[in-house]
């Protein structure tokens, strides 16, 4: 049976079931209305067991990233940057009852880990978007801060994604739903991307650019690496592919941006993807920097987002 293709990538309303109105996240999934309780299983939270509006109602920024440790560090960092009371050591993992994701709340900022790859971040986003709805959050901005491989740019460069593209450089994400391939738009919020680039001008210690981000299903063969356990292509084919990606406007490669962009776009959420590049893929495949260099690189998107959040909240630096 050939799969049925449903192309919703050009229409913003074709399947919009969740939308932002008056700043609130509305969910129109009729099946959810039938539930007497909504259990956000992978967060270990629920509408009956937790008072979600009082726990999360004041959230304005949700920052997500792959690693639980990195998102804890970000929570501590933003705590200091916002000048909140205490030394931050009492910040607890709200999802401590599960080891699927970690979640920290620091004032109006939520910091959540999403693991690696499209399936992992997609599950997290379903539960996060329902959480924002149940908690009656208003005017929320979502930002993915992560790592990536650069193409033709200096390692350590921060790339703000304008649009996420797939492995064929198409600005779309294909979600398989029942027996259909549903094509979704991966456009990110252009004004937010520009505002973030503007913010980066205030931090002179590292380069920041806007570019397309390619999202893949794999780190090795899927990103044209020669150093996986398997490799079914030549060095020449690898470079031809990466050069084509560069010519198509791709400046970095990672593994979550397409579904993140598609889900946020469909739900009308203001969203950005900001990733540091750990290497230049035209120069190699292995990540050989010292732990210290990698830690400093990974702090760069955090510094940029902290600057942006402080500006939005009117916190003086
Ligand atoms: C960036 O880094 C991870 C792979 O090392 C993956 O989660 C991603 O998008
Ligand atoms: N993350 C990726 O997905 N690819 C890289 O090359 C580096 C980090």
């Amino acid at each position: 049976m050939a799969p049925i293709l449903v192309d919703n990538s050009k229409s913003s309303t074709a399947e919009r079931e969740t939308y932002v109105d008056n700043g609130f996240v509305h969910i129109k999934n009729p099946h959810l209305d039938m539930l007497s309780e909504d259990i956000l299983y992978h967060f270990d939270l629920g509408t009956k067991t937790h008072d979600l509006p009082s726990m999360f109602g004041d959230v304005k920024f949700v920052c997500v990233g792959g690693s639980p440790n990195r998102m804890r560090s970000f929570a501590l960092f933003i705590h200091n940057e916002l000048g909140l009371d205490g030394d931050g050591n009492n910040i607890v993992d709200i999802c401590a009852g599960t080891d699927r994701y970690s979640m920290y709340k620091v004032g109006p900022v939520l910091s959540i880990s999403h693991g690696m790859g499209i399936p992992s971040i997609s599950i997290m986003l379903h539960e996060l978007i329902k959480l924002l709805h149940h908690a009656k959050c208003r005017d929320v901005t979502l930002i993915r801060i992560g790592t990536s491989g650069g193409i033709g740019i200096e390692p350590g460069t921060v790339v703000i994604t304008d649009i996420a593209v797939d492995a064929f450089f198409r600005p779309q994400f294909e979600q398989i739903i029942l027996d259909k391939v549903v094509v979704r738009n991966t456009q990110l919020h252009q004004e937010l991307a520009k505002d973030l680039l503007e913010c980066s001008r205030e931090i002179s210690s590292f380069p920041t650019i806007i570019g397309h981000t390619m999202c893949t299903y794999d780190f090795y063969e899927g990103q044209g690496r020669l150093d996986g356990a398997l490799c079914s292509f030549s060095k020449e084919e690898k470079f031809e592919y990466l050069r084509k990606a560069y010519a198509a406007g791709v400046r970095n490669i990672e593994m979550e941006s397409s579904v993140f962009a598609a889900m946020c776009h469909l739900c009308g959420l203001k969203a950005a993807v900001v990733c540091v590049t750990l290497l230049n893929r035209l120069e190699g495949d292995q990540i050989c920097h010292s732990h210290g260099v990698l830690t400093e690189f990974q702090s760069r998107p955090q510094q940029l987002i902290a600057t942006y959040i402080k500006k939005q909240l009117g916190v003086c630096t």
Side-chain angles (χ1 to χ4, degrees):
M1 178 173 75
I4 302 161
L5 193 79
V6 182
D7 189 351
N8 289 336
S9 63
K10 313 264 167 347
S11 162
S12 57
T13 52
E15 50 165 351
R16 186 163 280 179
E17 292 205 328
T18 301
Y19 62 97
V20 173
D21 180 34
N22 204 16
F24 292 105
V25 179
H26 292 265
I27 292 193
K28 290 205 302 183
N29 174 1
H31 307 285
L32 270 188
D33 298 338
M34 317 283 182
L35 298 177
S36 61
E37 175 182 15
D38 189 11
I39 297 168
L40 308 176
Y41 168 66
H42 302 86
F43 285 161
D44 193 31
L45 295 171
T47 50
K48 272 208 173 141
T49 46
H50 298 82
D51 181 353
L52 300 177
S54 72
M55 287 173 77
F56 298 103
D58 63 341
V59 167
K60 296 292 175 206
F61 302 94
V62 182
C63 300
V64 303
S67 134
N69 281 339
R70 193 159 20 93
M71 296 322 286
R72 183 165 198 281
S73 306
F74 178 69
L76 288 172
F77 178 62
I78 202 82
H79 179 275
N80 292 336
E81 289 288 302
L82 296 183
L84 299 179
D85 289 342
D87 61 5
N89 283 325
N90 52 355
I91 296 173
V92 291
D93 181 0
I94 298 168
C95 299
T98 165
D99 58 5
R100 296 299 187 184
Y101 305 111
S102 292
M103 181 190 289
Y104 302 93
K105 185 172 180 301
V106 178
V109 181
L110 209 52
S111 176
I112 314 176
S113 70
H114 57 60
M116 285 191 284
I118 288 170
S120 184
I121 194 173
S122 160
I123 295 166
M124 192 283 289
L125 286 172
H126 273 279
E127 295 185 13
L128 171 64
I129 293 165
K130 292 198 295 174
L131 173 67
L132 298 175
H133 166 71
H134 292 311
K136 301 189 170 37
C137 296
R138 254 187 120 169
D139 300 322
V140 181
T141 300
L142 266 69
I143 305 174
R144 162 164 148 73
I145 45 178
T147 58
S148 61
I151 307 183
I153 55 177
E154 189 193 334
T157 301
V158 170
V159 179
I160 302 167
T161 308
D162 53 0
I163 198 156
V165 299
D166 66 10
F168 306 98
F169 322 133
R170 299 175 302 189
Q172 63 180 52
F173 170 64
E174 291 183 352
Q175 172 79 55
I176 297 174
I177 303 175
L178 305 182
D179 56 354
K180 299 183 183 66
V181 179
V182 177
V183 184
R184 290 173 169 168
N185 185 312
T186 51
Q187 180 79 56
L188 284 146
H189 199 282
Q190 300 302 290
E191 280 307 307
L192 177 57
K194 278 192 210 136
D195 290 349
L196 289 168
L197 188 67
E198 193 63 35
C199 263
S200 76
R201 306 283 178 240
E202 292 169 28
I203 312 169
S204 51
S205 50
F206 54 82
T208 303
I209 60 169
I210 291 186
H212 298 353
T213 296
M214 179 160 76
C215 184
T216 65
Y217 288 94
D218 170 48
F219 182 83
Y220 287 100
E221 287 182 292
Q223 292 187 6
R225 277 190 159 79
L226 301 167
D227 63 342
L230 305 171
C231 185
S232 50
F233 47 85
S234 68
K235 194 171 171 181
E236 291 68 35
E237 286 171 317
K238 164 197 159 171
F239 282 110
E240 192 190 342
Y241 179 67
L242 291 182
R243 275 195 288 270
K244 267 193 205 155
Y246 185 88
V250 175
R251 292 295 174 270
N252 65 339
I253 315 175
E254 47 77 272
M255 298 176 61
E256 294 85 17
S257 58
S258 60
V259 71
F260 175 85
M263 288 182 73
C264 292
H265 183 82
L266 213 44
C267 295
L269 288 159
K270 190 173 176 180
V273 175
V274 179
C275 291
V276 69
T277 57
L278 302 182
L279 75 170
N280 177 0
R281 290 297 315 290
L282 298 180
E283 284 168 5
D285 293 338
Q286 299 233 316
I287 299 167
C288 339
H289 301 292
S290 67
H291 179 73
V293 169
L294 288 178
T295 306
E296 196 280 319
F297 278 1
Q298 289 175 27
S299 76
R300 294 179 176 189
Q302 301 191 7
Q303 290 178 50
L304 175 52
I305 297 315
T307 306
Y308 174 76
I309 290 177
K310 283 194 292 183
K311 240 186 176 171
Q312 295 301 302
L313 296 175
V315 175
C316 297
T317 43

